[in-house]
Structure formats: structure tokens, C-alpha cells
Amino acid sequence: MSYCPKCKNEYREGFTVCTECNCELVDSLEEPADQEEDVYPENESDQAPEEQAWEESEAKPEVIQMKERPKDGYKSGIYRNNAERAEDNKSSAWTLLSVGVIGIILLVLVMVGVIPLYFYGVTRFMVYGVMFALFILFIVMGMVSLRNSRIFAKKAESDSTLSDTMREWCLANLKAEALDEELFGADALQLPSELKYFKRNEELKRLLSDKFMNLDEGFLEDFVDHIYEEVFKE
């Protein structure tokens, strides 16, 4: 006897296909015992996946992820030099002073009646007092910003002198070929440009820190980003 594995109909000898399901008939409806599936795929070692993963991680060298070097050779950091700070404070100072002085002049014109804006009773004194205090505050803040601008301007002059001195020393003492030979040896041509850039950058910082003591970190990074192209001429 033959049986349909789908609809379970029984057929006598001579039939090979079920007339209802179009399935090939089988000799028995009993399903064979499930064969134990291979725990691991073919052509793999007998180690458990966790062991394989551990060994692979031990075998593979550590990959250091580096940021991509900026296309123009300079980093887009947040460092602002003293010249920029001086200019920003100067601009803020003149804005605050202008608002404060003009505000007081307008307030006086309102108080004497030149500008027809009237307040009555206690409200008048409150409005005048608050507005006057606010404009005075603007003037005080403007004077503080102006003083800070002068301080930063003096520091900018000192930074400019130091930067010129450091630049002259770099161009006189640092040679690209010698630095690359010390850092990379014979593998310089085989290393990716990003790796060479970061190693060169760190070496320049180290040399400048040893030569010029107590450099501000932001100033040093900004200087190295600018002198890099002059030293290595890429």
C-alpha cells in the first residue's frame, strides 16, 4: 500500500501520485526519526563558537580607529586665539556701549516729554528706574568687554612673537626626511597617509614642547596644524 504524505489517503499498488494533492506517494506515513543536526557547519573546527570567537580575537591584531585627516591639512578644532578673542570682545563692547548710551538718551527724551510716551503714577517711576538701570548695565558690560579686548590684544601680540620664533626654529631644525626616517624607518612608503599624519603631528608637538616650555595646549595644537604643511610640504 502507498500513502499520500499530505492528505494521508491510502492507495493500492500501481499508484505513484496522489490524485488530490499531486504529491508523490510514500510507503509509510511514519516519519523517520530526526537526524541530529550538525552542531557546527562543515569544514569548521570542533570548537564551540565562543571558543572560536575568542581565538579569533586573540589572533587578530588590534585595529586602531583614527579620525580622517582634514583635506586641507588643518583640524577643525574649537581653539580661538587671543587675536580673535580681542576682536570679539571689542565688537561686543561697542555694541553694548552704543545700546546703553542711546537708551539713556531716549529715556531722557521721554522723561522731558520730547518723545510723547507718558506713564502715570508709580508706574512711571518704576519704568524709568528699570530702564535706566538696564542701560547702565549695558554700559558697564561694554566697558568690561572693552577692557578684556585690550588684555587679549596684548596677549595676541605676545603669541604672535612666540609663533614667529617657533616657526623659524621649525623651518631651521626640522627636516621631513629625517623625521620620517626616525618615525617610520623603511616602512614610510607602505604606511597610509592618515597614520603618517597623526604620528608626525604628535612628534611635532613633542619636539616643540621640549624646546619651548609651558606652551598652552590649544596654542600648540593650532600652531602644529599650521606648520605641518611647511615642514612636510604635502
Side-chain angles (χ1 to χ4, degrees), residues 32-187:
D34 294 336
Q35 298 180 354
E36 184 178 0
E37 297 181 357
D38 294 338
V39 178
Y40 309 113
E42 296 181 357
N43 300 327
E44 294 288 341
S45 65
D46 294 335
Q47 295 175 329
E50 293 80 3
E51 297 178 356
Q52 293 181 8
W54 181 82
E55 289 189 357
E56 289 177 358
S57 63
E58 288 292 324
K60 293 182 179 178
E62 182 180 1
V63 178
I64 302 176
Q65 184 176 5
M66 298 182 299
K67 295 182 180 179
E68 182 181 0
R69 176 188 170 186
K71 295 181 181 180
D72 58 356
Y74 299 97
K75 293 194 302 183
S76 56
I78 59 176
Y79 173 76
R80 294 169 61 238
N81 57 42
N82 288 316
E84 294 175 345
R85 293 180 179 180
E87 189 63 28
D88 291 345
N89 277 271
K90 183 178 181 180
S91 177
S92 300
W94 288 116
T95 300
L96 292 170
L97 289 172
S98 300
V99 172
V101 171
I102 294 175
I104 289 179
I105 293 175
L106 293 176
L107 183 60
V108 171
L109 294 178
V110 171
M111 294 174 64
V112 300
V114 176
I115 297 179
L117 185 61
Y118 301 102
F119 299 96
Y120 300 96
V122 180
T123 304
R124 176 180 60 179
F125 297 104
M126 291 180 60
V127 172
Y128 291 161
V130 171
M131 297 300 295
F132 184 79
L134 181 61
F135 292 136
I136 290 296
L137 179 60
F138 283 159
I139 293 176
V140 172
M141 293 173 61
M143 295 176 64
V144 172
S145 295
L146 189 60
R147 179 179 65 85
N148 291 337
S149 174
R150 293 171 180 172
I151 294 175
F152 284 126
K154 292 181 179 180
K155 291 183 178 181
E157 293 178 2
S158 177
D159 289 347
S160 179
T161 302
L162 177 59
S163 180
D164 291 340
T165 303
M166 293 170 60
R167 180 177 180 275
E168 292 177 0
W169 181 85
C170 288
L171 297 180
N173 297 276
L174 302 181
K175 304 301 179 182
E177 295 80 4
L179 289 173
D180 284 350
E181 179 66 23
E182 181 180 354
L183 290 172
F184 313 116
D187 299 331

